[in-house]
Amino acid sequence: MNFCGSARSNLLPAFAGGARICGSERSRERDPTLPETQRQPSPELIFETLNAYQRTAALKAAIELDLFTAIGEGATEAESLGKRLGAAERGVRILCDFLVVIGLLAKNGDRYALTQDAAVFLDRRSPKYVGSSMTFRLMPQIVKPFDNLAEAVKHGGTVISEGGIAGTDDSVWIEFARSMGTLQSMPAETLARFLRGAGEVKGKVLDVAAGHGKFGIAVALANPGAQVHFLDWPNVLSVARENARAAGVESRSQFHAGDAFEIDPGSGYDLILVANFLQLLDPVRIRALLTKMFGALGENGKMVTLGFMPDENRVTPPEMAAFAIVMLATTAGGDAYTVGDTERMLRASGFTRNEFHAIPGSPMRVIVSQK
């Protein structure tokens, strides 16, 4: 049995009952660009996928213990980490070694160090810390639906509750707004810069299903003449209000509490933002929402639709295409709609001018629409 030195090494050999493939031979097996006839079959990906819950559990434990911050502050050995974290030395050693194996820590002798990714995103002192997003990502309402994925496949949508996470329970979206706001700051700022490049927004802006409000806030910060209207359920909207106050734009903000399908948001908007919302809905509800937004938009206004929009083949780019399985498990009819899907629904709702844009540095795609 050959245990490779790669950071991808794990307990696979013990469970697979065979040797691991190292170096170039292993690369040939896993290289998806090679023709099928040039690749040897291997169970490695299958076992890595079946064991993926171990990686989730280890990262969750490390974030809960604040392990990465402790290492960043100088506790670099299992003994000192154990004392710092109030944990058993043996437990800390095994957890840290596993984090080395999966590439989130480095090890030299008995000392551990943060990798670049861990230092930037998992040390609580970093302004780009994303550990707080764990709470939302691992909420029972998000994770439990995957226990019934086969039934969801048969049913064509979630079997956990009617509507799933897009239903009337706002606890999921309160946590989303609180946990994911920091993570969304960079995409929001990127989008605001992109929009600002086409000219200053001086009038009314509507942020639909605003959540944390980061997209509307970024537009307000980039456009001093903009008045931003945030629309969401009351308890969720309170988070957007807090963030607007902290950003110094509350005086240029208005808050509309209610369901986006029921509330009258007003009219004459120069810009409407629909960020990461359509993917939660089925096509019928999407067209109803878009038609409503068409009516709310001013004569020369623009609507910006942002989200995970894979290519027409529905399997690339991988991070966008994979989002569809989340929607299958957790929503009644949501999907990772392709650019073409979205453009057709926009046209059916009255938007005849739609321009697709790939935003550099952002994992999401944008369609800018006009009447």
Side-chain angles (χ1 to χ4, degrees):
M1 183 178 294
N2 179 19
F3 288 86
C4 300
S6 165
R8 297 284 291 175
S9 303
N10 56 22
L11 298 179
L12 175 61
F15 290 105
R20 286 182 60 86
I21 306 297
C22 295
S24 60
E25 184 179 356
R26 177 173 182 264
S27 298
R28 285 198 302 274
E29 287 196 351
R30 294 291 298 279
D31 186 351
T33 64
L34 289 176
E36 185 69 24
T37 55
Q38 294 184 27
R39 287 187 277 129
Q40 295 298 315
S42 170
E44 182 175 357
L45 178 59
I46 296 168
F47 284 104
E48 284 183 349
T49 304
L50 288 173
N51 291 336
Y53 69 92
Q54 298 169 4
R55 299 163 67 95
T56 302
L59 180 56
K60 179 175 182 288
I63 291 173
E64 289 176 341
L65 292 166
D66 214 9
L67 174 71
F68 299 102
T69 305
I71 293 175
E73 290 180 339
T76 60
E77 297 179 322
E79 182 180 4
S80 59
L81 281 166
K83 293 177 180 178
R84 166 76 179 267
L85 304 177
E89 180 180 343
R90 174 179 179 273
V92 170
R93 172 181 57 80
I94 291 173
L95 175 60
C96 286
D97 285 344
F98 185 85
L99 294 171
V100 172
V101 167
I102 66 174
L104 289 174
L105 291 180
K107 188 176 184 181
N108 185 5
D110 292 331
R111 294 183 177 275
Y112 299 98
L114 301 180
T115 62
Q116 184 177 8
D117 289 345
V120 172
F121 298 112
L122 293 172
D123 185 331
R124 194 178 296 274
R125 301 170 301 167
S126 170
K128 295 184 178 179
Y129 177 74
V130 300
S132 58
S133 70
M134 176 189 74
T135 306
F136 170 74
R137 293 175 184 275
L138 299 183
M139 286 183 75
Q141 296 95 320
I142 302 296
V143 175
K144 188 171 177 56
F146 285 89
D147 292 338
N148 299 278
L149 188 57
E151 290 302 313
V153 171
K154 292 179 183 179
H155 183 66
T158 188
V159 294
I160 296 300
S161 62
E162 184 177 357
I165 60 172
T168 58
D169 179 11
D170 65 2
S171 63
V172 172
W173 301 112
I174 294 170
E175 188 55 54
F176 172 83
R178 294 201 179 280
S179 299
M180 300 291 284
T182 301
L183 197 61
Q184 292 299 307
S185 294
M186 187 177 297
E189 291 165 5
T190 301
L191 178 64
R193 286 195 298 271
F194 164 75
L195 295 173
R196 187 67 173 82
E200 184 177 356
V201 179
K202 296 181 180 180
K204 294 168 62 179
V205 176
L206 177 62
D207 189 349
V208 181
H212 40 66
K214 292 291 186 175
F215 288 93
I217 290 168
V219 169
L221 290 172
N223 300 274
Q227 300 285 329
V228 182
H229 297 243
F230 298 90
L231 190 162
D232 213 317
W233 288 331
N235 291 335
V236 181
L237 203 60
S238 65
V239 181
R241 186 187 292 272
E242 291 172 10
N243 290 335
R245 183 181 303 122
V249 298
E250 187 179 17
S251 63
R252 291 191 284 128
S253 303
Q254 294 188 35
F255 301 89
H256 303 266
D259 190 308
F261 290 92
E262 299 174 359
I263 190 173
D264 179 5
S267 60
Y269 286 100
D270 296 277
L271 177 66
I272 295 178
L273 302 171
V274 183
N276 301 320
F277 185 40
L278 298 189
Q279 58 217 23
L280 299 169
L281 310 172
D282 63 76
V284 173
R285 283 170 63 79
I286 289 174
R287 286 194 293 271
L289 178 74
L290 295 179
T291 300
K292 187 173 185 177
M293 294 303 106
F294 183 86
L297 197 64
E299 190 61 33
N300 297 312
K302 297 179 181 180
M303 186 176 75
V304 173
T305 305
L306 176 144
F308 295 99
M309 301 181 205
D311 298 332
E312 297 307 305
N313 62 18
R314 300 187 187 278
V315 293
T316 56
E319 65 275 14
M320 295 187 191
F323 193 73
I325 201 76
V326 180
M327 295 295 94
L328 174 66
T330 61
T331 71
D335 205 341
Y337 296 105
T338 67
V339 174
D341 290 336
T342 308
E343 200 272 340
R344 284 186 288 273
M345 289 186 285
L346 284 162
R347 282 187 171 274
S349 304
F351 291 97
T352 57
R353 293 185 289 170
N354 303 291
E355 295 181 357
F356 165 74
H357 298 271
I359 306 299
S362 172
M364 297 176 223
R365 290 169 164 179
V366 166
I367 297 178
V368 178
S369 306
Q370 292 178 276
K371 289 185 174 180

